[in-house]
Amino acid sequence: MSVKHKLLAWALALLQGLALAQVSAPTASPVLAENIEDQAADAMFWGDWDELERLFAAARSDMRRAREGNLAVCSFGVGVNRDYSDESLAYHDARVAGTLDWVRRRPDLPLAHAVHLKALVALAWFHRGRGFAKTVSEQRFADFRASLNEALAYAKANAAVMTRDNYHVPALLSVMLGLNVDAERQLEVARRNMRKDASDECLYRVALASLLPKWGGDPRQMEAWIRESMRGQPEAVALTRYARLYSEASAADYAQGLFENSLARWPLMRDGLRAILKESPDSRYWKGRLAYFACMVKDREVAVPALEAIEANPEFDAWGDTGQRNYQACKRWALQS
Amino acid sequence: MRWKAAARLSLVASLFCAGLAAAADKVPAKPVARPTAKVAPKPAAAVPAPPAAAASAPAPATAVPEGAVTELNRVFKNSVTPRFAVRADDRLDPDMRAAAEAMQAQHLPRVRALMDRWMLEELQQPDPSRAFKRMLARLSNEFAIWGRDSTGPAQDAALAQALQMPGMCRPVGAYASELVLRLGRLRGLPPEVRQQAVQAERELLARWGQPRQVSDADPLAAEETLLQLRATGQAPKKPLPPLLAYYYLGEVDDNRRDPLLMESTTRCALHHWAGADPAQFRAAMAMDAADVAMLKRSDAGRPMADDNPYPSLASYFGVQGVVTLDGEVNADGRLVRPRIGKRDLSVPGIRDARPFAFEGALDLATLAKAGGMDWSVWAPKQGVKKVRREFDWSLK
């Protein structure tokens, strides 16, 4: 390293020092759902099982939504699933070994079993990868199936404890998806574990994966599942579920073809998105989502005010793949007289 | 004259890091690998002390010269204050936050006063032109001693209990200070134990500047254990936290980090995993001079240049002495599993304490030097032969 570089390093260190020295008063206690995804991912990465248990208990009793509309209990699951592995089998082995050690110390804790099951499933999907089947070698498929079967055997052997909570269901559905179990059977597993509260939203969403075209799903089956999620709910809740689930279907597979290739209907989608925004008025994602879908169906009457609501602060994640370009194209189209 | 000397030192202080480079550039020093006898450390100060009571001698300074005050303030702001910062985004519960803030408020003035005291003392020492560096050395060593210090069996027991908790080392914030990291490691303790442990932390801060005996335990060779796992591909007997597996056992070489250069939180996880007892854990976690200067240990410890093997930090502070290297030579004449053994070092300014903050300052350079040596003369016909060599690091 040259003297010049050392000076630069020192200057940066000084700046860092200044930044670190900024001390301010603590902010008010945040809504759990705002940060729990990162916290759960952190706890998994560091093998902090006590923290994971604490976060899960808190998430189960806190139904406040984050600014972006997500529930703590759903975000907890997303955080646990966060995968840092890149190409590292050692990372997955460590997760499997660490969670198994946790189970041995806490055999009566459903969460420990469920997280271990998740680690086994994540290892299986690491072997397979998330690409099309044609991209996966025979050896990797063999490893994939072997790991899934191990996960399934574990789930069966520990069902008595694990099923005291429904947190294991997403991992179980992922096993069934990988083993090509019939989608209707997967939905049955999800149905059996519904709790009749807001957290069911996570299960409806997770089970949706098996109904996507890329996994051989049928649009009518998906429509039925989404309608089922709305049944018995107050109108506003039902509409938000409709919009959330079809939005998820678009993000995961249908993309710009949502209204052409699925049974999604724009008027319901529009009302659902507006209902979500009523519930989460500061959500940048859902503001963008309303404009995104309005442009998709060329509804200028909705698109123009929705774009105005975004102002100069678009959340490009709401705009699909190549979101920034979708956003710019939508704006150009909407502003044409 | 003293004021002028202090003013000159202020320039050194303003170039603290640049000074590391400049000082090292000027010193054509070479380490010498020697098979046997130890060399006594060089004296800390080569210039004889002026007569203590000479009639013409100036009166001892009672206040730090103005020019030096500015530089002390700069170091205090940039290298001391951040170590005790309590940030809004640190995930501390209200009790722990209040305790941290109280400790910060009490301790920062204490350190600032100590810096003045040390500066004045060093100005009374021979070669006052180096007083500022010696003050920095004392400051750095105080951080290191703080890391190793313990109030006694109760605090050790609390730390031992925390070391049994799986997530002890999970950081409480992305930019958490040393003080907050220490307190954060206590967060999982039962309330009454935690309260005592927090009080002990308060007492340790109050000891700054006082002579005290601290443990001289060596940390576990956890880094070496991790490297063994990497080399053999064996599964660890005790599960590794996923982050350690990810960073240090990854299959792709480009993604693997060097365990010897771990930053603080990851080092905590490693030594926690390895089963360190409280003294070993403290030894592993104690800050060193590079940490205080906010330099990466790897950068501070590497040889300055191909033609000058002395590391910049060691050169700046005048660290000298003997580093013993243990290893094995195989039948091909290659040195395998080299590791640092004993260190016998001296650092100007550190007179009544072991220079903990500087003990690793010559390690990387010693390993680099050893790696470049011809070991074939010690090669056995088969198997490996244990070797021990002393490297004499001198700035003369």
Side-chain angles (χ1 to χ4, degrees), chain A residues 41-52:
Chain A
D42 227 26
M44 275 298 288
F45 200 42
W46 288 82
D48 189 350
W49 316 120
D50 293 345
E51 172 71 355
L52 217 54

Side-chain angles (χ1 to χ4, degrees), chain A residues 10 14 23 45 48 84 86 89, chain B residues 78 86 170 243 246 251 293:
Chain A
W10 180 241
L14 283 177
V23 179
F45 200 42
D48 189 350
Y84 292 96
D86 295 334
L89 180 59
Chain B
N78 294 325
V86 186
R170 184 174 51 79
L243 95 151
Y246 174 69
E251 284 73 22

Side-chain angles (χ1 to χ4, degrees), chain A residues 8-22, chain B residues 77-79 82-83 85 87 174-176 291 293-296:
Chain A
L8 180 62
W10 180 241
L12 289 172
L14 283 177
L15 286 174
Q16 186 191 20
L18 291 173
L20 287 170
Q22 307 288 326
Chain B
K77 180 179 177 185
N78 294 325
S79 296
R83 306 305 177 192
R87 294 171 56 96
Y175 303 100
D291 298 333
M294 289 184 173
L295 294 169
K296 281 187 175 177

Side-chain angles (χ1 to χ4, degrees), chain A residues 1-3 6-7 9-10 13-14 16-27 39 42-51 84-91 93-95 97-98 101 105 126, chain B residues 14 16-18 21 25 77-79 81-82 85-88 91 97 101 104 165-167 169-171 175 187 239-243 245-247 249-252 255 265-266 269 293-294 299 304 312:
Chain A
M1 186 188 252
S2 67
V3 172
K6 282 184 183 301
L7 280 168
W10 180 241
L14 283 177
Q16 186 191 20
L18 291 173
L20 287 170
Q22 307 288 326
V23 179
S24 52
T27 52
Q39 290 175 301
D42 227 26
M44 275 298 288
F45 200 42
W46 288 82
D48 189 350
W49 316 120
D50 293 345
E51 172 71 355
Y84 292 96
S85 66
D86 295 334
E87 295 298 319
S88 175
L89 180 59
Y91 162 81
D93 286 342
R95 286 190 4 150
D101 190 54
R105 285 186 290 109
F126 170 79
Chain B
S14 67
F16 186 7
C17 190
D25 284 343
K77 180 179 177 185
N78 294 325
S79 296
T81 304
V86 186
R87 294 171 56 96
R91 293 192 294 270
R97 177 173 289 280
E101 287 172 348
Q104 178 202 44
M165 297 175 175
C169 295
R170 184 174 51 79
Y175 303 100
R187 71 197 143 189
L240 273 172
L243 95 151
Y246 174 69
Y247 285 131
L249 298 185
E251 284 73 22
V252 182
N255 290 347
T265 50
T266 320
M294 289 184 173
D299 292 342
M304 279 294 286
S312 55

Side-chain angles (χ1 to χ4, degrees), chain A residues 20-329:
Chain A
L20 287 170
Q22 307 288 326
V23 179
S24 52
T27 52
S29 172
V31 173
L32 182 65
E34 294 290 358
N35 299 312
I36 194 170
E37 183 183 328
D38 286 343
Q39 290 175 301
D42 227 26
M44 275 298 288
F45 200 42
W46 288 82
D48 189 350
W49 316 120
D50 293 345
E51 172 71 355
L52 217 54
E53 186 180 358
R54 188 193 69 76
L55 285 171
F56 185 63
R60 273 284 187 231
S61 60
D62 188 342
M63 289 297 160
R64 290 177 298 165
R65 288 182 185 273
R67 192 184 67 172
E68 294 295 342
N70 44 306
L71 285 169
V73 71
C74 299
S75 296
F76 175 85
V78 176
V80 170
N81 285 345
R82 194 181 290 174
D83 187 343
Y84 292 96
S85 66
D86 295 334
E87 295 298 319
S88 175
L89 180 59
Y91 162 81
H92 280 287
D93 286 342
R95 286 190 4 150
V96 168
T99 52
L100 184 60
D101 190 54
W102 184 24
V103 164
R104 285 177 179 147
R105 285 186 290 109
R106 301 290 303 280
D108 294 327
L109 185 68
L111 178 68
H113 287 283
V115 174
H116 180 57
L117 181 65
K118 278 186 177 234
L120 290 169
V121 173
L123 171 61
W125 285 95
F126 170 79
H127 287 309
R128 188 203 178 280
R130 292 280 171 179
F132 288 107
K134 64 185 176 188
T135 65
V136 185
S137 71
E138 206 172 305
Q139 292 86 353
R140 282 175 60 190
F141 257 125
D143 289 340
F144 174 56
R145 289 196 195 94
S147 294
L148 285 179
N149 281 321
E150 189 184 337
L152 189 60
Y154 183 84
K156 285 179 180 170
N158 296 280
V161 177
M162 197 152 50
T163 53
R164 282 191 224 143
D165 191 285
N166 67 3
Y167 181 66
H168 70 286
V169 177
L172 195 55
L173 291 177
S174 190
V175 172
M176 295 168 83
L177 177 67
L179 293 175
N180 295 320
V181 174
D182 178 57
E184 202 47 54
R185 280 185 63 197
Q186 294 182 44
L187 299 185
E188 270 312 307
V189 169
R191 278 189 198 103
R192 272 205 308 273
N193 286 279
M194 295 295 180
R195 294 163 63 101
K196 308 291 181 206
D197 69 20
S199 68
D200 288 350
E201 188 177 299
C202 326
L203 292 190
Y204 280 115
R205 185 177 163 178
V206 169
L208 196 72
S210 305
L211 308 176
L212 296 169
K214 68 183 178 186
W215 293 110
D218 176 328
R220 283 168 301 180
Q221 212 174 12
M222 177 177 286
E223 170 76 1
W225 180 244
I226 291 173
R227 294 286 179 170
E228 189 178 322
S229 80
M230 300 162 70
R231 207 168 294 146
Q233 299 295 325
E235 187 183 358
V237 176
L239 282 170
T240 61
R241 285 197 170 172
Y242 185 89
R244 283 181 203 281
L245 291 173
Y246 267 119
S247 174
E248 176 74 17
S250 172
D253 200 356
Y254 283 104
Q256 293 281 336
L258 180 70
F259 296 101
E260 290 167 14
N261 302 325
S262 79
L263 298 178
R265 290 176 51 217
W266 170 237
L268 273 180
M269 193 70 181
R270 176 198 60 209
D271 292 350
L273 290 164
R274 284 175 171 162
I276 291 173
L277 282 169
K278 199 168 179 186
E279 191 178 65
S280 305
D282 298 325
S283 167
R284 291 170 63 213
Y285 179 83
W286 289 109
K287 280 180 188 173
R289 218 60 181 147
L290 178 62
Y292 171 70
F293 286 119
C295 273
M296 199 183 283
V297 297
K298 299 187 175 56
D299 184 340
R300 192 172 271 122
E301 206 173 305
V302 175
V304 171
L307 283 163
E308 283 169 358
I310 294 170
E311 295 166 346
N313 196 18
E315 170 60 82
F316 295 123
D317 282 353
W319 291 81
D321 291 342
T322 59
Q324 193 162 351
R325 279 172 270 170
N326 286 337
Y327 167 70
Q328 298 292 356

